[in-house]
Amino acid sequence: MTRRDEQHSTQTLERTETERPRLFRVLLLNDDYTPMDFVVLVLRRYFHKAEQDAQLIMLAVHHKGQGVAGVYPRDVAETKVAQVMGHAQREGHPLRVVAEPEASE
């Protein structure tokens, strides 16, 4: 290459593919003691659900044993689990909340 060619040469930058973070479903689990109103309150306060959506999720928890409160990246899901479990504990309710990985596509 001549000196002039070096001035006009280009470099190729490779971009690495970034993967989307794995998502986790936050599930509310049924028990025989936590009041339905408290489950609705939790869904509205921590998951920002509308009243009607919160009622439907609460009924899924009651009738099917569990309901999906939301789907989030791992750190957000774990934070929401801790917040809800702490609130339930302070109120004396045995509500269980878990985060599980969403099925891979």
Side-chain angles (χ1 to χ4, degrees), residues 50-101:
E51 179 71 28
Q52 186 174 3
D53 293 336
Q55 291 283 340
L56 291 172
I57 295 167
M58 177 273 297
L59 289 171
V61 172
H62 183 67
H63 293 293
K64 297 177 183 176
Q66 66 182 22
V68 178
V71 179
Y72 306 95
R74 181 182 207 148
D75 57 338
V76 175
E78 289 175 349
T79 299
K80 290 199 178 278
V81 167
Q83 289 173 330
V84 173
M85 293 287 288
H87 186 169
Q89 208 169 31
R90 286 189 302 276
E91 296 294 323
H93 301 304
L95 180 64
R96 288 189 37 229
V97 185
V98 297
E100 68 176 27

Side-chain angles (χ1 to χ4, degrees), residues 6-102:
E6 288 176 8
Q7 290 176 345
H8 297 291
S9 66
T10 59
Q11 292 182 340
T12 304
L13 296 176
E14 291 186 36
R15 293 186 183 194
T16 56
E17 293 285 325
T18 55
E19 291 185 25
R20 289 181 162 248
R22 189 162 192 195
L23 296 177
F24 285 72
R25 298 183 324 153
V26 177
L27 302 173
L28 301 178
L29 306 178
N30 190 40
D31 64 71
D32 293 332
Y33 304 100
T34 302
M36 292 178 181
D37 289 345
F38 182 76
V39 174
V40 170
L41 175 126
V42 160
L43 288 163
R44 298 205 60 204
R45 180 176 294 174
Y46 295 100
F47 300 96
H48 310 289
K49 301 294 183 186
E51 179 71 28
Q52 186 174 3
D53 293 336
Q55 291 283 340
L56 291 172
I57 295 167
M58 177 273 297
L59 289 171
V61 172
H62 183 67
H63 293 293
K64 297 177 183 176
Q66 66 182 22
V68 178
V71 179
Y72 306 95
R74 181 182 207 148
D75 57 338
V76 175
E78 289 175 349
T79 299
K80 290 199 178 278
V81 167
Q83 289 173 330
V84 173
M85 293 287 288
H87 186 169
Q89 208 169 31
R90 286 189 302 276
E91 296 294 323
H93 301 304
L95 180 64
R96 288 189 37 229
V97 185
V98 297
E100 68 176 27
E102 199 171 36

